[in-house]
Amino acid sequence: MPGTFYITTPLYYVNAPPHLGGMYTTIVADTIARYKRMMGFDVKLLCGTDEHGQKIERSAKTQGISPKALADRVYTQYSDLWKAIGIEYDEFIRTTEPRHYKAVAEMYTRAKANGYVYKGSYSGWYCVSCEAYASESDPDTPVDCPDCGRKTEWFSEESYFFKLSAFQDRLLELYEKKPHFIRPESRRNEIASFVRGGLKDLSISRATLKWGIPLPDDPSHVVYVWFDALAGYLSGIGFRSDDARFSKYWPAVHLVGKDILRFHAVYWPAFLMAAGLEVPASVFGHGWWLFKDEKMSKSRGNTFDPYVLNEVLGSELLRYFCLREMVFGQDCNFAVESVIQRYNSDLANDLGNLLSRTTAMISKYRGGRVPAPGEAKGDADVRELAGRVIESYRKHFDDYSFSRALENVWELIARVNKYIVENEPWAIAEKPAEAKKLDSVLFHAAESLRLIAGLLAPVVPKTAQNLWEQLGLEDKVSGIRLDEIRWTQELAGRAIRGGASLFPRLDPKEVLKKIDSVNERKSDSNVGTPENLPATNVAPQITIDDFSKVDLRVATVVEAERVKGADKLLRLLVDLGFERRQILAGIALAYQPESLIGRKVVIVANLQPRKLRGLESNGMIVAASIGPEDKPVLVGFHEDVQNGARLK
Ligand code: MSP
């Protein structure tokens, strides 16, 4: 009898809006949760936001708002996104909630009472972006963060320490005894060798930071953000607020990106052991989404906005692509072109065709009712393959090999499409002597689709439900049990419903255009759009401080070319003296690219990067806009001006 199953996503930092990397883990967690529910488990899926720490405090300061206001805003963006892409979480924890404070205080108090916390002083280089200690070498030798490569900052202050060093043997024993505690195996080996290399005690409090949970016994310190956030996995399921619930569901399966595996597979079990609590059931460290072989991240500006992707591509396609394209555990390149290719080949061609030809033939040849099976070439083959696919799908799903599980389902789809072609139903439809054969083809195709709908339900829930309903089935496909699913005759005699084509083909050019225009609309509405004001109206007054936020610089164009497929866009490379950067400018109708080389221009140098046609634009060229067509005219100088000079 299946029992309980508790699964978590990371708690996302609220310094910036969601991006593709975070969306991925959440889609996978939701898929697993749905699968486990359909396997009969009593499932809880926890999502959440990590709202304290230096990184958030700083980000809020730059934006001129309080950390809590920033957290509230980004929390809403996350919860809206999860709804939009069909994430059915059972619990959501924000680390600023009182129930979480209680849990953190309890963890700290228990660890201290058990002798694992002591007071000392910490000096070392700290990476604010990773919220992690990088090195303790001397203050005159700055180090870059070993994880993300960014500059670190020197901190020297009184601090409470966690005796991580005391857990080396117990952690190694844990990895040894529970070989699946860390997955995939390659990462387990990396973590084990990191621990074997020796563990240093960890500073778990900060005296110079305000934005955090005060230590219960010394409120002049706040808890280190990782000690705080990891406890969200406990507070989110009732630790210290509903202990019965907590005991029922804990321990959890954690899904995280490989960059934060160490926190989950080393620090976290040690914190739990110190507090006398059970360690997690397992921790899976998945790979990264890359763009042109580089990790996608906000700071590199090479990521995609999940809201835009969802608006243009839809959540079902995103979910399918994420699960099918990336081998869970490995890195994978993301490109809109590959998403569309997957859509057109797997969804439109293979699955969409199978459904539409099956329902169309049942309507045309059998008055819309699924016939009872007769006998056709390949019947047994299809049935046998369906059985095998169900088995291996479950095996791969249990093993977190989602792409393999989906490959299996598509093997069945391809086989049934081939089986239909081999039996040529359109040719035998007119021959009464072949009626049984036609019956069999129609039945086998419909029954295969019923099974396929069930198997796809965890990954693409809306599509699966649509398939289900087109076959004339009632209730929810998510209500069936995947541990019991098998080939049956239950469709025989049932009236199908049919419906619109599930996946009309997509034109990659059109999709890219749409992404650009949604991106543009979004960034226009973000910036507040002076260009939308009537020409005679001057924009509302600002202060000199407001103006000084805009960093206008002189630069020289060193490269200029048209952007394929975009009539208005030029890709420019400009030299700022201290750096070169790529800018996309909508001036192609007014300027020939060759005429711009060597020209001095003015750019907005501190504009958030954005993507157009898959290319990053790192700033904006300043131009006057004239006439009803808004013809751009570039700003220039009469005197010679050095690159990099600021306009103020
Ligand atoms: N707040 C911490 C987690 C605390 S959990 C108790 C944190 N937050 S995060 O917002 O920076 O990152 C969340 C997750 O996004 C991490 O698992 C990280 O691996 C993942 N990703 C960020 N960029 C990614 C890709 N390009 N690809 C896939 N996932 C990546 O860390």
Side-chain angles (χ1 to χ4, degrees), residues 92-357:
F92 197 107
I93 186 72
R94 299 183 59 181
T95 57
T96 46
E97 289 178 58
R99 60 177 172 147
H100 178 71
Y101 275 52
K102 240 171 127 179
V104 172
E106 176 77 13
M107 283 293 286
Y108 172 83
T109 309
R110 287 192 189 191
K112 191 161 188 198
N114 292 336
Y116 294 112
V117 175
Y118 63 93
K119 196 170 178 181
S121 70
Y122 175 77
S123 301
W125 294 96
Y126 187 78
C127 174
V128 173
S129 179
C130 294
E131 294 278 19
Y133 303 92
S135 143
E136 286 165 15
S137 59
D138 67 287
D140 299 325
T141 323
V143 292
D144 289 343
C145 172
D147 292 327
C148 72
R150 289 189 184 83
K151 299 246 162 301
T152 55
E153 294 172 37
W154 181 257
F155 282 138
S156 180
E157 58 187 9
E158 181 190 70
S159 175
Y160 287 87
F161 280 82
F162 176 75
K163 267 194 203 163
L164 188 62
S165 54
F167 291 90
Q168 181 168 351
D169 293 343
R170 286 168 71 184
L171 286 169
L172 288 171
E173 194 185 308
L174 167 68
Y175 309 152
E176 183 88 3
K177 281 209 176 127
K178 277 175 84 175
H180 280 318
F181 178 70
I182 302 172
R183 275 189 287 183
E185 200 179 333
S186 55
R187 304 237 154 81
R188 179 176 86 103
N189 298 337
E190 280 170 30
I191 294 285
S193 72
F194 170 80
V195 173
R196 242 178 264 119
L199 293 173
K200 282 200 188 131
D201 291 351
L202 182 71
S203 159
I204 53 156
S205 81
R206 297 286 312 278
T208 49
L209 177 72
K210 291 279 150 299
W211 184 235
I213 301 180
L215 288 190
D217 57 351
D218 184 353
S220 65
H221 286 241
V222 299
V223 176
Y224 168 49
V225 65
W226 274 100
F227 192 94
D228 165 347
L230 286 161
Y233 298 138
L234 307 178
S235 58
I237 197 74
F239 180 64
R240 300 301 290 116
S241 58
D242 183 348
D243 283 324
R245 187 174 175 76
F246 170 71
S247 332
K248 181 167 174 198
Y249 292 100
W250 184 256
V253 169
H254 300 308
L255 298 191
V256 298
K258 62 181 178 183
D259 47 325
I260 59 169
L261 185 60
R262 178 167 41 104
F263 297 93
H264 284 79
V266 181
Y267 299 177
W268 181 225
F271 294 162
L272 288 162
M273 288 171 185
L277 291 167
E278 205 178 328
V279 298
S282 65
V283 185
F284 199 111
H286 64 70
W288 286 333
W289 283 103
L290 313 175
F291 184 70
K292 299 195 173 144
D293 296 326
E294 256 201 43
K295 185 190 176 201
M296 271 190 185
S297 70
K298 280 267 158 202
S299 55
R300 285 192 185 88
N302 63 352
T303 181
F304 286 86
D305 181 336
Y307 297 93
V308 176
L309 291 181
N310 182 44
E311 184 171 334
V312 179
L313 302 168
S315 62
E316 294 285 288
L317 174 54
L318 285 178
R319 293 176 67 108
Y320 175 70
F321 181 78
C322 283
L323 272 294
R324 175 66 186 82
E325 193 78 1
M326 187 183 254
V327 173
F328 200 51
Q330 291 174 19
D331 292 349
C332 183
N333 269 300
F334 184 92
V336 173
E337 289 82 352
S338 334
V339 182
I340 298 165
Q341 202 189 338
R342 276 261 167 240
Y343 173 92
N344 280 336
S345 78
D346 299 6
L347 299 178
N349 260 5
D350 300 343
L351 177 59
N353 259 345
L354 176 58
L355 176 70
S356 56
R357 77 207 312 192

Side-chain angles (χ1 to χ4, degrees), residues 352 354-360 362-363 368 370 446 449 453 463-474 491 494-503:
L354 176 58
L355 176 70
S356 56
R357 77 207 312 192
T358 304
T359 52
I362 294 174
S363 302
V370 182
L449 276 165
T463 303
Q465 184 62 28
N466 192 321
L467 276 175
W468 198 246
E469 287 169 12
Q470 292 215 20
L471 291 171
L473 293 160
E474 280 120 37
L491 277 179
R494 184 176 285 270
I496 61 154
R497 205 175 307 160
S501 153
L502 263 185
F503 306 106

Side-chain angles (χ1 to χ4, degrees), residues 34 37-38 88 450 453-455 457-458 461-469 472-482 485 490 494 497:
R34 287 173 187 267
R37 285 185 202 113
M38 291 180 75
E88 286 187 349
R450 186 185 71 85
L455 299 179
K462 288 185 203 149
T463 303
Q465 184 62 28
N466 192 321
L467 276 175
W468 198 246
E469 287 169 12
L473 293 160
E474 280 120 37
D475 300 329
K476 294 263 172 254
V477 60
S478 55
I480 64 168
R481 288 283 290 264
L482 287 177
I485 191 170
E490 69 184 81
R494 184 176 285 270
R497 205 175 307 160

